[in-house]
Amino acid sequence: MTRTVFRGGTLYDAASRSADRADIAVEDGWIVDVGSGLDGDVEVDCTGSGILPGLFDCHVHLTMSSTDLFGIAQEPFSLQFYEGALNMAKTLAAGVTTVRDAAGADLGMRVAQERGMIPGPRMQVSLNMLSQTGGHGDPWWPSTCVMDLLPPHPGRPPIVVDGPEEIRRKVRELVRAGADVIKVATSGGLVSSGGGPEFAHFRDDEIAMMVGEATAAGLHVMAHAHGAGAKAAVRNGARSIEHGHQLDDETLAMMAERRVWLVPTLSSGIGLRRSIESGDQYPSHVLAKIEESAGDDSMRRAVEAGVPIAMGTDAPLHPHGENLVELELLVENGLRPADALHAATLSAAELMGLDRTLGSIEPGKRADLVVVDGDPLDVDHLGKRIRAVYQDGRAVAGARRTSDT
């Protein structure tokens, strides 16, 4: 068995949220030792570099490269899976070795990655997002046209449901189709045709049914949620709040007490505004919702309230492959750089239930490693400083000088 030593790098220790120089020994894809002067059969020279655990993005849409409904409606149905493969490769090259796909990717994509058929991050998939009639995920538009960013297929069930019993059956269908997490919209959204973030979707008995059925299958619920919809999701047992605008103090206090995660997807707002500036067309009511969201301070107040934060981008609203811009935005909104990195490593791993094997550089964990130029605690332009990405100890992006010892 080959023993590879990553020598001379400065490691980010997610447990202590600090960095120090150390070597890493890897065998058969697992970290077996961390310390000084380690020996091995093969050496990777990391002198002058930082080493991070493989990073997480807890909110992506890999089968989508834009939100242009008219353009997507004219594309061949199967093209989305090739888009997904391309976006998986871009995400991996950005140092993100694990993702939670928040609607779009199906079980086949996850299995293809697990079998090494296509390069990409490890994946948890939600398949699609539960929506009430007229809710954020309902593809019906006022013109009476149906324009669906994520049209149903055998591996991605339709998701418009009303009432606890419809929800019970739909969650079971999603589980049957291979969902690793159940996603729901418990409020309106910015770019949908329906109501804005201030409108709550689904009632307590409906959300409780989702959580109960997900729990019975060993899964969690992630909630696209703002305002009163976020409060309802927290009250009824959701694991995480995605986006999370208009969160009042009571909601934040409940999230901190119950350890409900916030995945703020700050870069999605940047991406939407850039899209508008570049001339992309949105209806006036959508533009108004985007404008109203710009000054929201929920993320900063969540940090002050002690709410756990995990990194997510909502790519492609901000492009796939530029995921690490989110780290800079997390710092701008109240986190220290070391805490922003924690949100993208051990915190994210805990959210996804993977912290026993991923999220930090320590013996007994998978050798997902990201080698970067310079100080690993410096998150500014970190995405442009990626030198190499390793998954299970195998180089999957970039290259470093190696030598036999």
Side-chain angles (χ1 to χ4, degrees), residues 291-302:
E291 183 65 27
E292 288 170 6
S293 72
D296 187 80
D297 66 347
S298 295
M299 163 65 190
R300 187 175 296 277
R301 291 187 299 107

Side-chain angles (χ1 to χ4, degrees), residues 204-234:
D204 280 21
D205 60 342
E206 295 173 305
I207 302 170
M209 177 66 80
M210 296 169 203
V211 172
E213 285 299 317
T215 300
L219 307 182
H220 295 297
V221 171
M222 58 186 296
H224 160 109
H226 308 282
K231 184 176 292 183
V234 174

